[in-house]
């Protein structure tokens, strides 16, 4: 069984042949791409993607050795990373778990999409043993980069890229976003609410799509005017709430895709003279104490174990780094979905 | 002139002799200390500190090469880094400036003092070209670590360690903390306030001591009961304000060492029924919009150019990395003190 993978795995020579370059050039691109013309880099990367080439473990180890360090990339600009307590919690879980194994968390800061090439070069440069990637968007190039350089990677949230869907070796830790959303909406229905709106997260992120799907699972015939896309920030929640009230003044409940989104929605509801929960009930998602307990009124919300997700991501990565070369001896590692639960406070 | 530095610089051999170890052992310790017994590591480090040994540039370059990456260390636990907008701004300045020079900002996360050894090993491991260190406390081992491994370093804030005081090669970017504090206190005096209190920052940080000194420059005979140490957080501001009101119920103004500190003080003043600014005038420090503009009432505060400090730190470091080996060709680089200015809003 384990021989088959070795036989069917495409070689670097096959990549070089398909790209029409020398083996040395293909190797340079696979190991970071420095000193190679952009056009050739593109051709090699295309061949890598088409063949599904993954550098073998021994070759990778030669390049990266053991650094006792793990790269962490949050696919958001620093302004969001440092203003959303979700990320602070996630990183705390990662840091604690890595510290317990004397591994240094190395946060690679990005400000804009153009920074990913540089991040990819750093990851490929042998400075970290593996990567933890989270808050990915559909068009983020990071998964392709870590796959190309053969870097052990664990994702925070189920990756959504079409080309990753069939890849069972892919490891991730996620919350039960769809189940949590269903529970939130059922709670609102149970309170007798009839015009329930949803402020979604950015729909190029799997977690947002899953929460929207959960909303629709319960409200199969939901009026499409009751669904607006937000961006997980308070400002986005304000804009979406204003739009919803303009479109559907008779709405009597809102399920917001994050606590920060809900905090913005609450502000607009107050400005427009709607009482919460009497006129409009509000439910959030996350249960970050710095937000959910401080809103007025305090927020009913779907709790995810954010710090626990971070810890589990780190643990999965550390275990995959310890994996012996002989496939027969490898531990079975698999992705994890963590349950969520509704926490009831005053807003619904 | 420039020959003298080469002659007077202590050699690795001198370090080895003083520590009573082989040159190879001394070299291993200087380059990260892995695989050497703790007792020997300690002896070599002691010899390095006593002799003021700095690895020469050529030797360091062999170890670190050019990574187009800069290590950033904030000497605070993640919980503070991610909840104080000061750090987000500082990092934004650093990231922008490094990005403009295609250099990757690598944030090395620390949770507790025990993590510094691991951070030191990563810095020594040749993964970054230089280091930016900020929010240092008196007992932080980082300056000694970067000096020992000969890593180009720029400090955010004037380093306060006794052994760094005479080192003119040391580069830092700081705000005029003492001048800013003087301006804040003079403003309160000009408003006719007579019982002016000060909530200081942690007094193991130079910025806190400088702000306290500025307060005392103006109020030479200040009642010592009017000075309480805080910790730059809202919770610390609450505790300090409560203590001040218990001690000196007749106080009529507070100069807080940070905006977050002031936000906590405002909350306690409101709870105790004191009107701001009528009964008690309040001035903060930082002018981070996320705090100063949102307090009730909005905060009069000392503005520092936090993002600009980050940019300048990065620029100084990049310039020192470009430094030619011949001392005669080196650009004169020097530390920078950025002016502050008082921004008047409703709280004073």
């Amino acid at each position: 069984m384990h021989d088959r993978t070795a036989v069917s795995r495409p070689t670097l020579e096959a990549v070089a042949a398909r790209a029409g370059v020398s083996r040395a050039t293909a190797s340079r691109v696979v190991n970071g791409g420095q000193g190679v013309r952009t056009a050739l880099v593109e051709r090699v990367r295309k061949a890598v993607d088409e063949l599904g080439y993954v550098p073998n473990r021994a070759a990778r180890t030669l390049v990266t050795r053991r650094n006792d360090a793990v790269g962490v990339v949050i696919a958001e600009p620093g302004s969001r990373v440092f203003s959303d307590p979700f990320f602070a919690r996630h990183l705390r879980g990662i840091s604690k778990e890595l510290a317990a194994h004397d591994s240094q968390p190395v946060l690679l800061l990005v400000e804009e999409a153009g920074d990913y090439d540089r991040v990819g070069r750093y990851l490929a440069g042998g400075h970290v043993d593996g990567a933890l990637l989270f808050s990915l968007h559909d068009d983020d190039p990071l998964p392709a980069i870590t796959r190309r350089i053969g870097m052990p990677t664990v994702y925070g949230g189920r990756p959504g890229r079409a080309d990753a869907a069939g890849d069972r070796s892919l490891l991730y830790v996620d919350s039960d976003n769809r189940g949590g959303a269903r529970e939130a909406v059922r709670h609102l229905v149970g309170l007798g609410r009839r015009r329930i709106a949803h402020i979604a997260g950015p729909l190029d992120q799997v977690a947002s799509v899953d929460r929207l799907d959960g909303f629709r699972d319960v409200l199969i015939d939901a009026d499409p005017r009751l669904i607006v896309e937000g961006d997980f920030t308070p400002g986005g929640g304000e804009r979406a709430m204003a739009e919803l009230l303009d479109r559907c003044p008779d709405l009597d409940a809102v399920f917001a895709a994050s606590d920060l989104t809900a905090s913005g929605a609450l502000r607009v509801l107050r400005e427009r003279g709607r009482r919460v929960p009497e006129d409009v009930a509000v439910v959030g998602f996350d249960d970050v104490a710095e937000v959910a307990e401080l809103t007025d009124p305090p927020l009913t919300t779907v709790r995810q174990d954010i710090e626990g997700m971070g810890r589990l991501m780190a643990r999965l990565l550390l275990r995959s780094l310890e994996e012996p070369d002989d496939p027969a001896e490898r531990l079975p590692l698999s992705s994890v979905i963590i349950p969520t639960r509704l926490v009831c406070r005053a807003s619904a």
Side-chain angles (χ1 to χ4, degrees), chain A:
Chain A
M1 176 85 176
H2 55 260
D3 277 342
R4 204 196 301 161
T5 54
V7 173
S8 67
R9 181 178 269 181
T11 61
L12 186 60
E13 286 74 15
V15 170
R18 189 175 191 107
V21 302
S22 70
R23 192 186 180 285
T25 298
S27 168
R28 271 210 300 281
V29 173
V30 163
N31 292 312
Q34 269 166 318
V36 180
R37 276 191 296 128
T38 313
L40 295 187
V41 170
E42 284 314 311
R43 265 156 59 190
V44 174
R45 289 185 177 177
K46 195 156 168 275
V48 162
D49 288 342
E50 285 165 3
L51 294 174
Y53 171 79
V54 178
N56 72 49
R57 195 173 172 76
R60 187 189 58 74
T61 306
L62 276 179
V63 176
T64 62
R65 289 159 295 139
R66 265 311 273 274
N67 299 291
D68 288 322
V70 165
V72 181
V73 189
I74 306 174
E76 305 283 351
S79 53
R80 257 211 74 205
V81 172
F82 287 91
S83 63
D84 189 336
F86 176 90
F87 297 116
R89 283 230 194 157
H90 214 135
L91 285 171
R92 199 184 314 154
I94 289 171
S95 290
K96 280 187 186 170
E97 189 67 26
L98 291 179
H101 294 83
D102 210 24
S103 182
Q104 177 62 42
V106 169
L107 181 61
L108 301 173
L109 300 173
V110 293
E111 278 299 317
E112 47 186 69
D115 293 343
Y116 286 121
D117 267 353
R118 202 177 55 234
V119 167
R121 282 202 304 276
Y122 196 79
L123 291 175
H127 305 297
V128 294
D129 303 321
L132 299 173
L133 308 182
F134 57 102
S135 205
L136 292 175
H137 300 253
D138 281 349
D139 56 355
D140 283 333
L142 284 171
I145 290 172
T146 56
R147 203 166 53 239
R148 191 186 315 122
I149 62 177
M151 171 151 285
T153 300
V154 175
Y155 298 87
R158 196 175 82 249
R161 295 178 67 86
D163 57 355
D167 183 354
R168 268 188 292 169
S169 69
L170 201 144
L171 288 175
Y172 62 85
V173 175
D174 205 355
S175 276
D176 179 11
N177 289 302
R178 190 162 179 165
R182 274 199 298 257
E183 196 182 355
V185 179
R186 279 198 201 109
H187 176 71
L188 291 169
V189 170
L191 294 173
R193 305 294 164 144
R194 290 289 162 264
R195 293 283 284 167
I196 302 173
H198 179 43
I199 305 178
L203 292 172
D204 66 343
Q205 294 194 295
V206 173
S208 306
V209 174
D210 284 352
R211 291 171 200 175
L212 174 58
D213 285 346
F215 174 86
R216 284 184 169 137
D217 287 344
V218 181
L219 302 172
I220 298 164
D221 303 319
D223 180 346
R225 291 175 309 155
L226 283 167
I227 299 168
V228 174
E229 186 175 352
D231 59 6
F232 286 145
T233 72
E238 287 179 4
R239 284 187 294 278
M241 192 70 243
E243 192 174 335
L244 283 167
L245 287 171
D246 291 343
R247 284 184 193 175
C248 310
D250 60 337
L251 63 84
D252 59 10
V254 180
F255 166 49
S258 79
D259 290 348
L260 284 178
T261 301
S263 74
L266 286 173
R267 213 171 297 151
V268 169
L269 288 167
R270 191 163 45 240
E271 280 166 20
R272 302 271 187 111
R274 307 294 179 104
R275 292 167 307 160
V276 176
E278 295 84 349
D279 303 328
V280 180
V282 177
V283 178
F285 205 107
D286 283 342
D287 197 32
V288 280
E290 301 88 327
V291 182
E293 292 176 4
L294 299 180
T295 54
D296 178 20
L299 208 53
T300 293
T301 187
V302 180
R303 174 177 298 171
Q304 14 179 13
D305 180 4
I306 303 166
E307 190 170 325
M309 288 171 70
R311 275 182 175 274
L312 262 174
M313 284 176 70
R315 206 171 302 162
L316 269 178
L317 183 64
L318 291 171
R319 280 195 35 196
S320 73
L321 292 174
E322 287 160 7
E323 216 177 53
D325 276 338
D326 180 350
E329 290 177 21
R330 287 185 197 157
L331 293 163
L333 291 178
S334 63
S335 297
V336 183
I337 309 276
I338 304 180
T340 58
R341 73 178 177 86
L342 191 70
V343 177
C344 287
R345 299 197 184 87
S347 72

